[in-house]
Every structure is written in C-alpha cells, then in structure tokens.
Amino acid sequence: MSSLNLGAIGNCSFGALIDQDARIVWCCLPRFDGDPVFHSLLGGPKDAPEGGMFDIELVDQRAWSQSYDQNTAILRTRLESPTGAIEIVDFAPRFETRGRLFRPNMLVRRVVPVSGSPRIRVCLRPRFNYGAIAPDITFGSNHIRYVGPDFTLRLTTDAPVDYVRDETTFIIEETLNFMLGPDETLEGGIGSTAREFEERTAQYWRGWVRTLGIPYEWQDAVIRAAITLKLCTYEPTGAIIAAMTTSIPESPHSGRNWDYRFCWLRDAFFVVRALNTLSAMNTLEDYFRWLQNVVSTTNSNHLQPVFGVGLESKLSERIVDTLPGYRDMPPVRVGNQAYEHFQYDVYGNVVLGASQAFLDARLYRQAGIEDFHRLEHAGEQAFRLYNEPDAGMWELRSRARVHTSSSLMCWAACDRLGKIARALGEGERGRYWEERATIIKNAILENAWNEERGAFVESFGGRDLDASVLLMGEVGFIDPRDPRFISTVEQLENVLGDGPHMRRYEAPDDFGRPETAFNICAFWRLDALARIGRTEQAREIFETLLASRNHLGLLSEDVDPQTGELWGNFPQTYSMVGIINGATRLSRSWESVL
C-alpha cells in the first residue's frame, strides 16, 4: 500500500520520490510538472497495474533502513535478506563544471553488495502520458532505450542488459550502476562516471549547506528542510513549486486531490523568506528574477495566484482516468483551476517576496528604482481590491468574501512599498504608500474584529474563525501583545486546535468540513505563541510537530491528528518552511551556549 514514507531527490530541474524499499514511485520529466514516467504512487493503469516504477528488488527481503548522506540530497537505502544485504544509493547529479551548474534530467542508482550473496531483480517499467502508453524498447550492449511519444529515456548500465530487460533474478557480486536520463551516449566509463557524479554531487550539497546560517538547536531538521526547499526550486526560471506531486488527497476519500506542481506566488514567498533567514541568497535572486517577469506580464491588470514553472499562465485542470489514484482514491487531477481565481493576497506576496532584494547589499544585483516602479503596479491593485470579495488564500471554489487574510496581505504590499521607497530616498512615494497602508489597516481593525467571538475572523463582517489571521503577527500588522491578538490566538486554539495540530478554518467549504490538520497552521500557531510570551508551550508543540515528520524528516501538507499519518501533496514546501521558521524563532542563540 502506498504511503508518504518517501524520500525526495532532485537537482533543481526535476525531482523523484523513493519509498522505503528503494522503489522510485514518482518522477516527472522533463521537469516537475511533466509526464510522470514513474507514477506507481498513484497506482498503475489497468493494462499494467505494476507499471510506472523503478524497483531494485532484493529477493526475500526481510528488513530495510534508509537515510540521507549527511547534509546532502543523496539517499541511501539498505535492504537485508537471509542470504545477504545490499545498499542502494540514489541521487540526481548536481555540481559545477566548466563554469556552470550541471543538472541533467538524470537519475543515478548505485547498487552495492554489502554482505553474503544477495540476489536482486531489476524492474524498470516507465510509462508515458500518465500511464496510458507503454514504451517501445530497444537495447544495445550497455543500454536500454524506452521510446515514448514525446521523448526517449536511456538506461546506461554495467549490469547485464539481458537481466535488466527480462527482469531476471541474479546474484550481485560487485557494485552496479544505473544511469537513467536523456537518449545520449555516455562519454566516460559507467562505473567511474557514476562514482564521480556521486562524489561531486555530495561535495556540492555539503558546500551549499556550509554557507547556511542556521540556528543552534534543531540543526538537522533545519538543514533537511532547507535542502528540501532547494530541491523544489526550478532553477532555469527561478520558480518554486508547492510540492512535487499531484492528487495526494488531503484526507481519505475526500476528493480534495489537487495538482501542486506549480508556482504559487503565496507559497513561494514563504519559501524565499525562510531561506533568506538562513542566508541562502541565490534562491532570492532567482525568484526576484521570476517575480519581475511575472509582474511584467500582467500589464498592471489582474495578477493570477499561480503559474507554471515556465511562466505558463493557463493551467487548465482535467481529470486523468488512466491512473486509479493514491490508494485507489481518485480523482487524479492535472492542472489547477486556481489560475482562474481572484486571490487578492497575491499582491502582498509579490511585494513581500521582492522586498529584501531592495535592501540586501549582499546581492549581486540589488533591486533599484525601476524595479520599484514595476512593483508599484501590484501595490495599486492591492489598494484597489483590499475590500473586494475573492476566493481567499484557501482557494474556495464556490464562495467569495472579503477575506481578512487577503486584506492583510494587501496592507503588507502598501506597507512594504512605503519602506522600500524610504530606503530608495523616495520620500514622497513613501508617504503615498504609508497613507494607503493606514487606510487598509483601519478597515481591517474595524471590519475583521468580531466582539462576540473575541477574535479577528476570516472575513469582513463574518464570525467564522480561520488560522490565517495568525499571519497578522508574522507580517508585523499588529503588536503581538495587543489584547485583541492574544484573544484571537486563544480562541483559535480552543476551536481549531487539536493537540499540537491546527485546522485551517471552522466553516464547511466546497467539500464539507476539513478532516485533517493543516501543518503550516500549527507552525503559525507556535510562532504566535512565542510572540505573545508563551515560549515554552511553543517549544513543546514544535518538538511534537517534528515528531510528525516521516523517517527522513519530510512533511506533507496535512496530518491526521489522531493517527499521525501524513496526507496531502508531498513534500509540501509550506510545511518545510514551518520547520525553519519554528527553529529560527525558538532556538537558543549561539551566544547563550558558547
């Protein structure tokens, strides 16, 4: 049965997910939102229910263990049987060569015999067009080609090609290498090239981690979260995906199955900000370049909340009937209707995502006055729309309201534009945006506070509670010691809290009441608790949330508060952001322990 006890590998061009038995169960090519050539996470088509995966099977396997090589994105799985053990090393090459980054669409698998006389069977079964098309197969002395309608995969290996092609069981006596990628001839020797790629990829990741400014406590959790966020960036354009998967349901049989392989401006802002706190500046620079292209394409008009990683604006949603879905829980969706939504918090997310680029002297290219004027278009839209109904940050499909979280982010857009203007010496523009921020702030304080509930609520004039109002403290809208904010935190805990976990909102949505807790909301909660002085409680919650991660330190979007099982798309960048933010907020300082 499929689960989210998965590891993620990648190289900032594409990614793959690997289960505890070292099966590659998900991998889209040639990029994150491409065709899932390995898709057994969502099941197989009727004519090939075991298709869509890459398995190196140890005969009579009895035990497994799995871990990342320290401070890398290289995954190591040990499988044991009564006759012997093997170790499988999985990674996607990423390192500098000839003055540029080498990050091909290639998976490298190295199988090392550890003890005894282990017998393995290699099952390489890619499919195309969401499982609908089986490849045509050709082969040579050291390669097998899997020919699809749009592209061809080539496996280059020093294992016996006949055994791989026919899925024959055989004894492994020496390290075998499997390099799956574009239909190109490998220039060097197979074993030496795979070994070199592993060494240089490890060196790259360890060098990158070494540049991070991490908190004293929870270092391993923060480093794994940072690497995972980095893996979810699409470096060619600077886009950042929300997750690597599509259609993992938010709860069993809920129908809340969405495609998250795109760049939400909201999610991407939080990723950039989290990595900024760790001094991972390249992501900010790449994403600022992406944002400038996004803003330029809108022509000062409506800004949609989500784009394809190649800046595609149309992400038409459809249901794929060739795959049965995660644990036979359809539908499997491709594309996301959210690109058609009006979600006005997006204007604040754009400005917030770009703000540091104007102020940080470490950047190779610091943003300037022309960039500021381009961002002002987003600010004008924010001011025009802050009190207009929208779908909100939870992307409700059948209900529009003046959502407090959207108005809050419209305020943040105007507030930060005022600060940027002051930093650029543009005093008049600074006053202009400060005045608009004040107007929005007063409207929120007047219309979003519900005296009966003793809390800021999810919409102007409404009464329902929503965890997103916790962002008031995080973006600096209100003093956390304000009695209204403290009361809001307490009411949200009472109504939406479930132990250390927290649900998004109390009102039913298009699919009824949410059944699982939303991981990022729990991290917002502990941030708010720390801000109002309940630090020890926040630390206890944080420790419990860390225990909710899978065995490799990764989180999905949702968790079942009763069973602890992970649900929703995976790995979810929003959730991994929460780990970094929580550790940064709660850790003791280096000075206090040195």
Side-chain angles (χ1 to χ4, degrees):
M1 182 173 66
S2 295
S3 80
L4 297 182
N5 287 325
L6 305 171
I9 63 171
N11 62 6
C12 306
S13 289
F14 78 107
L17 300 178
I18 301 170
D19 73 8
Q20 299 164 107
D21 296 316
R23 284 187 292 258
I24 299 178
V25 297
W26 185 258
C27 179
C28 298
L29 293 172
R31 62 186 200 180
F32 293 113
D33 57 354
D35 190 6
V37 295
F38 301 127
H39 53 67
S40 59
L41 183 64
L42 299 184
K46 292 180 179 178
D47 67 326
E50 298 299 321
M53 57 95 169
F54 187 176
D55 186 12
I56 297 174
E57 176 186 316
L58 176 65
V59 175
D60 201 20
Q61 177 190 329
R62 301 292 177 85
W64 64 269
S65 60
Q66 195 172 50
S67 62
Y68 283 104
D69 286 357
Q70 186 175 20
N71 295 352
T72 76
I74 298 174
L75 186 64
R76 197 171 295 266
T77 308
R78 183 185 175 106
L79 305 178
E80 299 180 6
S81 75
T83 59
I86 61 173
E87 194 168 69
I88 302 170
V89 182
D90 285 301
F91 65 96
R94 178 179 172 84
F95 51 85
E96 291 188 9
T97 182
R98 299 175 183 175
R100 59 183 175 84
L101 273 169
F102 177 65
R103 40 174 167 71
N105 283 151
M106 176 183 289
L107 290 165
V108 179
R109 316 200 75 187
R110 308 192 69 214
V111 187
V112 183
V114 175
S115 65
S117 299
R119 300 172 67 228
I120 68 170
R121 185 167 70 110
V122 180
C123 302
L124 176 50
R125 303 171 185 171
R127 302 279 294 194
F128 296 96
N129 193 22
Y130 290 84
I133 299 175
D136 294 324
I137 299 176
T138 67
F139 61 94
S141 57
N142 291 104
H143 75 267
I144 304 175
R145 299 170 69 246
Y146 300 87
V147 182
D150 299 315
F151 59 91
T152 297
L153 291 173
R154 177 188 287 248
L155 174 72
T156 303
T157 182
D158 47 13
V161 167
D162 300 64
Y163 290 169
V164 177
R165 182 192 64 207
D166 299 333
E167 299 186 359
T168 302
T169 300
F170 65 97
I171 296 174
I172 176 173
E173 299 176 310
E174 59 185 356
T175 298
L176 297 178
N177 301 279
F178 302 84
M179 306 178 73
L180 182 69
D183 189 20
E184 300 170 357
T185 302
L186 191 68
E187 293 183 1
I190 299 169
S192 59
T193 301
R195 184 170 57 252
E196 178 191 1
F197 280 11
E198 179 186 349
E199 292 171 353
R200 297 187 69 176
T201 298
Q203 184 180 32
Y204 167 81
W205 283 111
R206 287 173 179 145
W208 184 78
V209 167
R210 191 178 180 186
T211 67
L212 300 179
I214 61 174
Y216 168 71
E217 294 183 271
W218 305 294
Q219 293 180 37
D220 289 343
V222 169
I223 289 170
R224 183 53 47 201
I227 290 174
T228 305
L229 294 182
K230 181 73 171 175
L231 290 178
C232 290
T233 62
Y234 184 66
E235 204 164 56
T237 64
I240 302 169
I241 59 169
M244 290 187 184
T245 58
T246 179
S247 304
I248 309 298
E250 295 178 14
S251 57
H253 302 287
S254 64
R256 300 173 187 268
N257 302 20
W258 315 113
D259 192 347
Y260 276 12
R261 300 170 298 162
F262 308 113
C263 183
W264 270 261
L265 300 179
R266 175 189 312 113
D267 300 49
F269 153 64
F270 284 102
V271 171
V272 168
R273 192 179 64 164
L275 290 176
N276 284 350
T277 65
L278 305 180
S279 299
M281 306 309 299
N282 285 347
T283 304
L284 170 61
E285 292 178 310
D286 290 343
Y287 184 62
F288 182 71
R289 170 168 49 91
W290 161 267
L291 278 182
Q292 293 296 76
N293 282 313
V294 166
V295 174
S296 296
T297 62
T298 64
N299 296 318
S300 304
N301 296 319
H302 166 63
L303 181 60
Q304 65 189 63
V306 57
F307 290 83
V309 297
L311 208 63
E312 295 84 1
S313 59
K314 189 174 183 180
L315 307 175
S316 299
E317 187 175 300
R318 61 187 175 91
I319 292 176
V320 171
D321 58 10
T322 50
L323 299 178
Y326 183 76
R327 299 189 189 175
D328 291 319
M329 297 179 190
V332 173
R333 287 189 172 92
V334 177
N336 200 300
Q337 187 196 59
Y339 84 94
E340 299 176 329
H341 289 185
F342 291 90
Q343 298 174 24
Y344 299 142
D345 67 315
V346 69
Y347 299 104
N349 293 315
V350 165
V351 176
L352 285 167
S355 294
Q356 189 168 339
F358 291 89
L359 307 172
D360 198 321
R362 294 173 294 177
L363 300 180
Y364 287 127
R365 178 189 175 273
Q366 196 168 352
I369 191 66
E370 291 184 6
D371 302 307
F372 170 69
H373 290 322
R374 202 174 289 122
L375 272 187
E376 284 191 296
H377 296 311
E380 294 292 355
Q381 288 290 86
F383 185 70
R384 185 173 70 85
L385 298 168
Y386 77 88
N387 57 358
E388 295 292 327
D390 73 344
M393 71 179 301
W394 304 126
E395 301 183 337
L396 302 174
R397 297 189 170 206
S398 61
R399 184 179 72 213
R401 294 176 179 172
V402 181
H403 289 95
T404 302
S405 58
S406 296
S407 299
L408 173 67
M409 288 301 175
C410 288
W411 167 83
C414 296
D415 176 76
R416 297 317 194 266
L417 284 170
K419 289 178 169 61
I420 293 169
R422 295 286 188 184
L424 294 175
E426 297 288 322
E428 183 178 343
R429 299 307 295 167
R431 288 187 293 275
Y432 177 89
W433 289 112
E434 288 162 0
E435 290 170 0
R436 277 150 180 73
T438 298
I439 292 171
I440 299 175
K441 183 171 187 174
N442 290 337
I444 294 172
L445 293 175
E446 179 179 350
N447 296 292
W449 174 258
N450 184 291
E451 190 67 37
E452 177 191 355
R453 301 300 301 269
F456 290 106
V457 291
E458 56 93 28
S459 61
F460 282 17
R463 69 177 313 277
D464 295 321
L465 299 183
D466 189 311
S468 63
V469 301
L470 291 172
L471 290 172
M472 287 181 169
E474 192 165 331
V475 301
F477 174 83
I478 194 171
D479 186 333
R481 295 165 296 182
D482 188 302
R484 291 169 295 183
F485 186 72
I486 294 173
S487 177
T488 298
V489 173
E490 293 171 347
Q491 294 305 314
L492 288 171
E493 285 190 295
N494 293 336
V495 176
L496 300 181
D498 196 333
H501 305 289
M502 178 159 278
R503 303 174 192 274
R504 284 177 286 183
Y505 39 77
E506 64 174 334
D509 60 17
D510 310 327
F511 296 83
R513 292 183 183 275
E515 299 175 19
T516 52
F518 202 71
N519 286 319
I520 189 59
C521 295
F523 289 109
W524 290 343
R525 172 193 181 187
L526 68 86
D527 179 85
L529 290 173
R531 290 176 187 274
I532 65 178
R534 292 162 58 183
T535 304
E536 287 307 312
Q537 181 188 359
R539 287 176 64 91
E540 291 175 7
I541 291 173
F542 186 60
E543 292 282 5
T544 307
L545 294 176
L546 290 182
S548 300
R549 299 172 299 160
N550 73 10
H551 64 291
L552 292 169
L554 307 185
L555 276 174
S556 63
E557 183 180 41
D558 305 88
V559 66
D560 185 316
Q562 277 66 54
T563 67
E565 185 171 9
L566 298 178
W567 290 90
N569 282 307
F570 179 92
Q572 178 75 5
T573 54
Y574 235 159
S575 301
M576 304 308 290
V577 161
I579 294 171
I580 294 173
N581 289 348
T584 302
R585 169 67 57 188
L586 299 172
S587 174
R588 289 175 291 165
S589 68
W590 286 92
E591 290 78 5
S592 69
V593 295
L594 293 177

